[in-house]
Amino acid sequence: MALVLEVVSESLSPRREHVFAHFEKDTRFNPTWWASGSAKSPVSYCRFLDEGEEIGRAKILPGSRAYAGYTTWSCPQAGATEIDLIEIRPDLRRSGNRYGRQAVVAIGRTYGQPVIAMSLDETSDLFWRSLGWRAHTHPDGDRYRTLFTSA
């Protein structure tokens, strides 16, 4: 069965701050990522289901237009789909089901291409590279995170 993307909450208005209680508490996920929070841009919180079981979560910023300082990538005029946060349950990462890859494909299918993400750490860098995404470093050096793009 294919992975299902389900929108938990979203606001696509760019003009006001959005405050959400995103997900129910679940100790299988990082609690600091998925508690109540806010965003000052369009935002969508979604979860990924496999046969009705929640296996992952994501915070998506549709139509993101940031990252103009990355000189090796040009953001399309309509913006890009930014994956701000994505998490596959730790007990299912490396299960052979490729849930992370499936989740990213579902995000691109739902929100549009190109899809982008910023580096969080070395583990996330390895994941984005495993998808064949292109890494873009900022010309001002290491104080900026690496931008990864699907195209």
Side-chain angles (χ1 to χ4, degrees):
M1 178 177 239
L3 198 66
V4 174
L5 181 151
E6 178 182 87
V7 175
V8 175
S9 61
E10 75 179 355
S11 177
L12 302 179
S13 172
R15 295 196 169 99
R16 62 183 178 89
E17 185 168 1
H18 319 286
V19 179
F20 293 99
H22 316 298
F23 296 96
E24 293 181 23
K25 288 184 180 181
D26 186 330
T27 59
R28 299 174 297 178
F29 293 99
N30 182 334
T32 61
W33 284 10
W34 309 114
S36 295
S38 64
K40 292 182 181 179
S41 64
V43 63
S44 182
Y45 290 88
C46 55
R47 64 187 190 147
F48 305 98
L49 306 170
D50 185 9
E51 297 185 7
E53 181 180 4
E54 184 178 17
I55 60 94
R57 297 174 171 183
K59 177 183 177 186
I60 309 299
L61 306 176
S64 178
R65 290 185 179 89
Y67 313 115
Y70 290 81
T71 57
T72 60
W73 185 71
S74 296
C75 186
Q77 188 172 4
T81 298
E82 182 178 349
I83 301 174
D84 189 51
L85 294 172
I86 187 168
E87 182 179 20
I88 301 300
R89 280 189 1 219
D91 61 312
L92 297 174
R93 293 176 191 164
R94 307 198 191 320
S95 66
N97 292 317
R98 299 182 175 259
Y99 285 129
R101 181 179 296 270
Q102 288 185 62
V104 170
V105 167
I107 290 167
R109 217 178 21 242
T110 303
Y111 294 97
Q113 298 287 336
V115 181
I116 65 173
M118 293 299 290
S119 171
L120 291 177
D121 56 29
E122 289 180 15
T123 302
S124 73
D125 292 3
L126 290 172
F127 172 70
W128 300 121
R129 284 188 174 100
S130 77
L131 298 178
W133 284 25
R134 186 167 174 210
H136 304 272
T137 56
H138 196 280
D140 290 340
D142 291 340
R143 66 184 188 142
Y144 291 91
R145 298 185 295 164
T146 302
L147 170 66
F148 287 90
T149 62
S150 64

